[in-house]
Amino acid sequence: MTITQPDLSVFETLESEVRSYCRGWPTVFDRAQGSRMHDEDGHEYLDFFAGAGSLNYGHNNPVLKRALIDYLERDGVTHGLDMSTVAKRSFLQAFQDLVLRPRDLPYKVMFPGPTGTNAVESALKLARKVKGREAIVSFTNAFHGMSLGSLAVTGNAFKRAGAGIPLVHGTPMPFDHYLDGRVPDFLWFERLLEDQGSGLNRPAAVIVETVQGEGGINVARPEWLRSLADLCTRRDMLLIVDDIQMGCGRTGAFFSFEEAGIVPDIVTVSKSISGYGLPMSLCLFKPELDLWEPGEHNGTFRGNNPAFVTATAALEAYWADGSAMEKQTRARGEQVEQGLISITEENLADVKEYRGRGLVWGLEFHDKGRAERVARRAFELGLLIETSGPEGEVVKLLPALTITPDELDEGLTTLARAVRETV
């Protein structure tokens, strides 16, 4: 692909230095549909990024777009705070009928604000309110958001440093595989909990991702998650599962924790819950935890009604027929895995490991700088991928769940070429 020099002057002179994704993809995007993006010069890119997981059903999904256009054309309410609206009622009913009831999940639904970190902040606040304790346990390489409470349970040193103040009341524990199986699961955690001299304040809750996306595609085993849930029950701690990036079908089932057979006390959901990239998040919790006073946690943009509309359309289009979407995602995931096996076999000395579930996968190299070079070369070849991990050492694959087998093959072929052409 030949890329002409785009006009980036206004971004470089006016926009803050904090911008990040655009630095790896130096072009100006203009249109997008399905798994394809186009820049203003007409170059096409296959998208293995999917809005960092906020576009599980692809760009401008026609079913969701039609529902949104129809709603706007009839002057449906767009901004509703937490007022009762037709759009919100339709979403709540669909979510109950198509997601919660089929899985026998008893959750109440809270709309905490538009972003994932809003959901995490509300989950932490609720856990502390319910238990009357401040301490929260998180895990190594976790990522839960960029606001202060979320940062306090995030592992990445670079992101934590941006807070500018001490981040308190959070204690990290080893995530699954962190100690390479040399220490029994939760041995350290259990010892700290039972030892009155450990210095660990009694936690109100534990927050965990079943697959750490930003942390490097670290996949927790189902048995590890079950042991964690049991530990939380025995030690009177609430279990919070952060399903912001891995929920909404990303790992196969609608919720990523379903495979483990656990029922968390609190679940945070965002990114693809609206289905269309519109800001929306949920905090789900067991009814007995609903101790909020009216208005105790609020926000101006809790009532993004266009997001409710597209979320309802997504549930009805992709989750009304039972396990069809889950089976398709698992099949596509197997296709990705086979592609990564081939890349690994071709570059045996360079690839450290590949890992993933459903349609989230990571490819790690021994050379920690290799992933960034691969991503840069992939962009030049027309493929959008990002990196993850504490040092950006993992190539992260996050294609839309609606991607076709042919598009997957195309992307994997391009990725293989990008690996081959970088050292």
Side-chain angles (χ1 to χ4, degrees):
M1 176 187 298
T2 302
I3 299 178
T4 57
Q5 186 63 35
D7 181 7
L8 301 174
S9 57
V10 70
F11 307 108
E12 293 171 347
T13 60
L14 187 59
E15 191 178 1
S16 166
E17 292 298 319
V18 79
R19 65 193 188 279
S20 59
Y21 289 116
C22 56
R23 297 179 187 276
W25 301 324
T27 191
V28 180
F29 294 102
D30 181 42
R31 296 181 298 108
Q33 208 286 317
S35 290
R36 306 279 180 176
M37 296 189 73
H38 302 262
D39 67 19
E40 61 182 350
D41 293 321
H43 301 118
E44 183 179 271
Y45 302 84
L46 183 58
D47 186 4
F48 269 33
F49 175 64
S54 62
L55 295 166
N56 279 4
Y57 312 107
H59 294 270
N60 286 300
N61 183 289
V63 176
L64 280 56
K65 180 167 67 174
R66 185 72 264 160
L68 178 59
I69 290 172
D70 289 347
Y71 182 76
L72 295 175
E73 286 186 337
R74 73 168 185 81
D75 291 332
V77 173
T78 56
H79 181 278
L81 290 166
D82 69 349
M83 292 183 283
S84 298
T85 64
V86 168
K88 184 197 282 188
R89 181 175 60 194
S90 296
F91 168 73
L92 285 169
Q93 196 65 59
F95 192 70
Q96 182 179 54
D97 292 345
L98 301 178
V99 176
L100 297 181
R101 279 181 178 159
R103 293 161 180 81
D104 197 26
L105 294 173
Y107 297 134
K108 298 287 289 291
V109 179
M110 175 183 178
F111 300 100
T115 71
T117 200
N118 293 133
V120 170
E121 294 286 356
S122 65
L124 300 178
K125 186 187 290 187
L126 180 59
R128 287 167 170 145
K129 178 180 176 67
V130 169
K131 293 300 182 183
R133 306 191 290 266
E134 295 93 8
I136 304 290
V137 167
S138 57
F139 290 94
T140 50
N141 289 315
F143 178 80
H144 296 290
M146 297 296 282
S147 50
L148 292 181
S150 301
L151 274 178
V153 291
T154 287
N156 186 283
F158 173 74
K159 293 180 172 64
R160 288 175 62 88
I165 62 172
L167 296 170
V168 297
H169 307 307
T171 302
M173 292 291 166
F175 191 71
D176 195 13
H177 304 298
Y178 187 75
L179 298 173
D180 298 324
R182 292 171 293 179
V183 177
D185 294 338
F186 307 113
L187 178 67
W188 174 240
F189 195 178
E190 290 260 26
R191 184 75 180 98
L192 292 178
L193 287 169
E194 66 190 19
D195 183 1
Q196 295 301 305
S198 71
L200 175 66
N201 292 332
R202 189 178 176 198
V206 174
I207 186 167
V208 67
E209 304 154 274
T210 66
V211 180
Q212 295 180 326
E214 297 303 309
I217 319 300
N218 305 312
V219 183
R221 294 165 296 147
E223 55 268 32
W224 187 86
L225 292 168
R226 286 192 290 270
S227 294
L228 176 61
D230 176 68
L231 174 60
C232 288
T233 299
R234 288 188 287 106
R235 297 291 185 172
D236 188 32
M237 302 178 295
L238 297 179
L239 176 60
I240 305 169
V241 168
D242 181 341
D243 233 7
I244 288 166
Q245 189 167 80
M246 298 305 154
C248 302
R250 175 55 57 182
T251 64
F254 188 87
F255 294 110
S256 70
F257 56 80
E258 291 181 53
E259 181 184 18
I262 61 174
V263 180
D265 299 293
I266 304 175
V267 181
T268 59
V269 181
S270 186
K271 290 198 182 283
S272 274
I273 187 61
S274 82
Y276 204 74
L278 300 176
M280 178 179 172
S281 71
L282 308 176
C283 185
L284 313 175
F285 40 81
K286 293 179 178 178
E288 61 269 24
L289 305 181
D290 195 7
L291 304 184
W292 293 114
E293 296 291 335
E296 191 175 5
H297 185 94
N298 57 21
T300 303
F301 294 102
R302 289 171 293 156
N304 186 354
N305 282 251
F308 296 153
V309 170
T310 55
T312 302
L315 294 177
E316 292 174 346
Y318 295 102
W319 298 98
D321 55 357
S323 61
M325 191 68 187
E326 179 177 351
K327 290 178 180 176
Q328 176 178 297
T329 298
R330 294 188 189 282
R332 300 284 193 273
E334 291 172 2
Q335 185 179 349
V336 174
E337 184 175 18
Q338 289 304 311
L340 295 181
I341 288 173
S342 297
I343 292 172
T344 300
E345 290 175 345
E346 183 181 341
N347 303 271
L348 203 54
D350 302 321
V351 175
K352 181 177 180 180
E353 187 182 16
Y354 65 87
R355 51 187 180 265
R357 277 178 61 196
L359 274 174
V360 53
W361 288 85
L363 184 66
E364 183 175 2
F365 298 92
H366 292 288
D367 175 358
K368 293 185 182 297
R370 183 81 177 276
E372 183 179 352
R373 297 194 294 275
V374 169
R376 189 183 309 122
R377 181 57 181 148
F379 170 75
E380 295 170 352
L381 297 172
L383 176 67
L384 302 179
I385 53 174
E386 67 166 330
T387 62
S388 68
E391 299 179 69
E393 72 274 22
V394 179
V395 168
K396 182 179 180 182
L397 308 182
L398 208 68
L401 308 185
T402 52
I403 195 167
T404 67
D406 287 345
E407 288 171 329
L408 268 184
D409 278 341
E410 177 187 341
L412 291 166
T413 298
T414 302
L415 174 61
R417 180 180 169 186
V419 172
R420 196 177 304 122
E421 294 179 0
T422 55
V423 292

